[in-house]
Amino acid sequence: SEIAEMLGLMHYMEGMRLLTLIEAVTATSSENVTVTDTKFGNVAVRLYLPQRAPEGLRRAMVYFHGGGWCLGDAGMKGYDHMSQRISNELNAVIVSVNYRLAPQHRFPAAFEDVYSVTKFFLQSRVLSQYRVDPARVCVAGDSAGGNLAAAVAQQLLEDPEVKTKLKAQILLYPALQALDLNLPSYRDNYNKPILPKSLMVRFWSEYFTSDPSLREAMASNRHVPAESGHLFQFVNWSHLLPAEMRRAHVYTGPTYGSAALARRFPGFLDPRASPLLASEAQLRRLPPAYILTCEHDVLRDDGVMYARRLHAAGVRVTHDHAPDAFHGAMMFLLWPLDLAVGHRLLNRYVEWLNENL
């Protein structure tokens, strides 16, 4: 992808997106689950409906895939496998959303799409159509999808048109803030697969713009202007991370960047892109959360800090930390990338859903 971009053949993310195409599978129903590609509003979704008759009303999940807001598809093998399994085992309706992707569609396009689908699905007539219990609906997502799930859960609280309350939010190794890209987890996992710091910085910057000035500022952690310095209280890892994750790292406070850059690309200061920027008053109204973090992941500290802030705000949080796992581990379920850690994390996730949704 880097070479193709240097030669002017294609944008970096277009090259990366070829991986998505290789992994895509068509919507194929099984004896247990009916799978269809359709639209909710104007947004494409892959819908999973259990075939067995429900004993009463079903539970449901609106799912947002990962891929740095630039890649990914609900139809990728790993996502399709997970959705089919959860739909079958939990007799749950799964709505897996194919939101618009950067760089063709910048923030807040992805957020607007997933919010639109969630709001559409939460209508009483739609829930009734699919025989869904309005008291047993959650949002979920991994990586960038976890970011979107957290943002949707926050935004729904402010929407007077939405009467249905979420039962839970599930955030799998989520990206939750774009202020401090030099957290201990970014330092500890600088070059580890499958998400080195350089790629995460590229994802963040492409979400807002292809202008290299933002990417360069983010790479050096000098992109937040002094007038936004008060926001760092929400991502201050010196007290939001446990000692075993701070290790020998010393918190020095922010190095401020250009106010002009933030005026041109204000998205990274928006809570819809950085849900960790929500105030405690906002957080305390949120539904119970399941948060998975992985030790060998640049995004580890985002999830840990959000879990701690939610807990401090009085929200019931289940925080599972996998000391032997890396970013995206739950997708490693099928040959030739079939790993025991992926199955273990998925089994635990399904167990939590069964008990809490």
Side-chain angles (χ1 to χ4, degrees):
S1 295
E2 289 179 359
I3 293 172
E5 184 174 58
M6 287 172 60
L7 294 175
L9 300 177
M10 64 177 68
H11 189 280
Y12 177 83
M13 290 304 171
E14 291 176 347
M16 293 285 285
R17 209 171 289 165
L18 295 175
L19 298 172
T20 299
L21 298 176
I22 293 170
E23 284 289 302
V25 293
T26 57
T28 305
S29 301
S30 69
E31 62 180 356
N32 299 315
V33 180
T34 300
V35 184
T36 54
D37 287 331
T38 184
K39 285 191 174 182
F40 278 9
N42 294 317
V43 183
V45 302
R46 182 163 287 192
L47 183 64
Y48 299 81
L49 299 175
Q51 294 210 21
R52 70 180 183 270
E55 298 176 2
L57 298 177
R58 296 185 173 103
R59 40 196 163 185
M61 170 188 291
V62 186
Y63 193 87
F64 315 131
H65 67 75
W69 311 277
C70 298
L71 318 171
D73 191 282
M76 290 174 68
K77 282 186 230 177
Y79 292 121
D80 186 71
H81 174 80
M82 287 168 55
S83 295
Q84 294 229 26
R85 176 177 168 184
I86 292 170
S87 180
N88 179 40
E89 290 191 19
L90 303 187
N91 200 26
V93 176
I94 310 294
V95 181
S96 193
V97 185
N98 269 322
Y99 52 87
R100 286 172 293 170
L101 301 173
Q104 288 83 1
H105 305 282
R106 307 288 183 193
F107 172 83
F111 171 80
E112 290 172 345
D113 284 356
V114 297
Y115 190 76
S116 171
V117 168
T118 307
K119 188 170 177 177
F120 177 90
F121 186 66
L122 289 177
Q123 295 177 93
S124 296
R125 64 174 181 84
V126 179
L127 296 174
S128 298
Q129 177 184 345
Y130 295 111
R131 294 187 57 79
V132 169
D133 184 343
R136 302 181 77 185
V137 183
C138 72
V139 290
D142 64 294
S143 193
N147 166 284
L148 294 169
V152 165
Q154 291 181 6
Q155 193 71 18
L156 285 172
L157 299 174
E158 312 302 325
D159 194 333
E161 296 179 358
V162 180
K163 307 303 181 186
T164 304
K165 304 298 183 185
L166 294 176
K167 179 73 179 291
Q169 55 178 324
I170 291 92
L171 316 177
L172 309 175
Y173 28 81
L176 295 171
Q177 59 85 36
L179 266 72
D180 190 348
L181 304 183
N182 197 33
L183 301 170
S185 59
Y186 273 90
R187 303 179 203 178
D188 295 341
N189 303 293
Y190 186 87
N191 270 322
K192 289 184 182 177
I194 60 172
L195 187 64
K197 177 180 177 178
S198 59
L199 180 55
M200 191 62 227
V201 167
R202 185 74 189 252
F203 280 143
W204 268 123
S205 61
E206 290 290 349
Y207 194 25
F208 307 114
T209 178
S210 284
D211 188 326
S213 62
L214 179 61
R215 184 164 75 247
E216 291 162 5
M218 284 184 155
S220 61
N221 215 37
R222 289 177 166 86
H223 56 292
V224 179
E227 54 262 43
S228 300
H230 64 284
L231 296 175
F232 279 96
Q233 65 181 303
F234 300 126
V235 297
N236 185 333
W237 56 265
S238 68
H239 64 86
L240 288 172
L241 291 181
E244 62 268 22
M245 291 183 180
R246 296 195 304 269
R247 296 190 178 92
H249 299 296
V250 177
Y251 186 81
T252 56
T255 301
Y256 295 115
S258 163
L261 196 64
R263 282 195 296 269
R264 288 171 62 203
F265 313 115
F268 64 84
L269 300 173
D270 191 317
R272 293 174 299 168
S274 294
L276 255 168
L277 301 187
S279 68
E280 182 177 336
Q282 292 170 298
L283 296 183
R284 71 167 64 107
R285 298 160 56 207
L286 286 168
Y290 176 82
I291 299 177
L292 170 65
T293 56
C294 299
E295 179 66 26
H296 306 287
D297 181 5
V298 292
L299 298 180
R300 177 195 72 202
D301 295 349
D302 283 20
V304 173
M305 291 193 295
Y306 202 50
R308 286 207 156 192
R309 288 199 61 213
L310 287 171
H311 180 75
V315 177
R316 183 164 60 87
V317 180
T318 301
H319 175 207
D320 279 350
H321 181 67
D324 59 342
F326 53 90
H327 188 80
M330 200 183 288
M331 292 293 286
F332 288 70
L333 302 168
L334 303 169
W335 187 91
L337 301 172
D338 187 353
L339 298 180
V341 66
H343 291 278
R344 191 187 82 232
L345 296 181
L346 178 60
N347 289 341
R348 167 61 183 142
Y349 166 43
V350 173
E351 176 186 273
W352 188 91
L353 287 171
N354 191 38
E355 294 173 355
N356 294 277
L357 181 60

